[in-house]
Amino acid sequence: MNTGGSTGRAGGPGPLAGLLPPWAAGAEVLGPGPLPWLYAEEDEQLAEGVVDARWTEFATARMCARRALLGLGAVPGPLLRGSRGEPLWPTGVVGSITHRAGYRAAVVGPAGATVALGIDAEPAVALRPGVLRRIALPEERARLAALPSAPGLPWDTLLFCVKEAAYKAWYPLARVPLGFHSAEVRFHPERSAVTVRPVGVREVAGRANGRPYPRARPPQSSEPTRSSQPATADPRAAAPGGPAAPGSLRAPGSPGAPGSPAASWGAAGLPPLEGGYAAADGLLVVLLTAAAPHRLPPPPRTAARCASSRS
């Protein structure tokens, strides 16, 4: 795997490369990728009789996660799953994984630089008729209708992708039911950015609105801690109330963005998020991040494409 940048199918940069914050590390695989492997503990968590394609997809995503952890300077080990399928990252690490046919990726960052990360990828295909109404708020539908059309960029599916990424970023902190209508999404096409405002999320136990989450330790050990939640639905078959998430994003450089003054915390005390999106190789990729109350010195930015048989 190269550490200088990610590579798309045509030989250029992969979609993740332009989305990474300077303090984050990531890895992605487009297409078949190298032969993956799993730790025995990871393999045991997969259901008996899982089909080969699903095993390969999962294992390649775990391979990307290990490479991303190396890029962050953390020692990788078995990356197990929590009760809802979320990766259990080493102490002091915040991360997120996405995997689907043809694309697997992982992003990690030090908990002192962010309290939440969420990445998701979806095919750049419009949603089936009727799905948008079930996942979008009325004001979101109105804003989508006003956005300029762009080849290869179905705004409705991108909206779904944002809400899935937000779920992954928020679930480890919220631990409460989140729905598609828990998030209000705003796109900023002039800079390929997105912001999200949490709506209708009940209070998180033990955390009051406006109270930032405690600072986590920098990555030092492999002791697991709960983090992101994998995407759980297909945008062409989404059901009402299905998984998606609230987020609370601010435009880059505004208060609440990483590197700016402390965020104004949103509904249920959840942190604001901000992010960007990319459309390439028939895919939509979204990466969302949240500001933390304190920041660590940023490690080197790393985006990578796995290119070895054992990562």
Side-chain angles (χ1 to χ4, degrees):
M1 162 182 172
N2 302 321
T3 56
S6 53
T7 305
R9 292 191 180 96
L16 180 59
L19 301 177
L20 282 176
W23 40 263
E28 62 186 350
V29 169
L30 291 92
L35 182 67
W37 61 279
L38 289 175
Y39 285 98
E41 300 95 321
E42 296 170 330
D43 204 14
E44 289 171 2
Q45 284 198 322
L46 287 177
E48 289 263 349
V50 63
V51 298
D52 289 346
R54 173 65 176 172
W55 186 93
T56 300
E57 183 181 304
F58 179 88
T60 305
R62 282 303 191 269
M63 181 174 67
C64 287
R66 290 191 288 272
R67 283 298 187 180
L69 286 169
L70 285 173
L72 196 66
V75 178
L79 189 58
L80 303 182
R81 298 191 295 174
S83 60
R84 297 293 299 273
E86 73 278 11
L88 303 178
W89 299 97
T91 298
V93 172
V94 178
S96 184
I97 293 174
T98 188
H99 53 84
R100 61 178 312 107
Y103 186 77
R104 284 78 70 202
V107 178
V108 295
T114 187
V115 295
L117 277 172
I119 186 173
D120 191 59
E122 303 293 341
V125 178
L127 298 178
R128 292 192 331 194
V131 174
L132 179 62
R133 181 169 292 275
R134 298 201 296 269
I135 69 168
L137 299 166
E139 52 267 45
E140 290 175 322
R141 296 197 299 271
R143 287 195 294 267
L144 285 185
L147 290 172
S149 60
L153 182 57
W155 291 109
D156 54 355
T157 303
L158 186 59
L159 178 78
F160 176 91
C161 194
V162 170
K163 294 195 177 192
E164 284 288 285
Y167 184 96
K168 298 178 189 183
W170 281 56
Y171 176 74
L173 302 175
R175 296 292 172 175
V176 296
L178 304 171
F180 286 113
H181 290 179
S182 298
E184 183 184 352
V185 176
R186 289 179 180 269
F187 291 110
H188 309 283
E190 70 280 0
R191 59 179 186 272
S192 297
V194 60
T195 58
V196 183
R197 183 177 68 89
V199 290
V201 184
R202 74 170 183 259
E203 185 60 55
V204 177
R207 291 184 171 92
N209 284 351
R211 180 182 302 169
Y213 293 93
R215 179 182 181 181
R217 292 173 292 171
Q220 293 176 337
S221 72
S222 59
E223 177 187 351
T225 184
R226 292 176 186 265
S227 190
S228 63
Q229 166 76 9
T232 52
D234 188 303
R236 290 163 303 284
S248 175
L249 294 157
R250 291 180 183 272
S254 67
S260 65
S264 59
W265 299 71
L270 293 174
L273 304 168
E274 65 176 0
Y277 57 85
D281 295 311
L283 286 168
L284 304 174
V285 180
V286 171
L287 177 61
L288 303 179
T289 69
H294 304 284
R295 297 197 61 202
L296 297 176
R301 175 172 172 169
T302 306
R305 178 179 184 270
C306 298
S308 63
S309 61
R310 184 175 178 88
S311 62

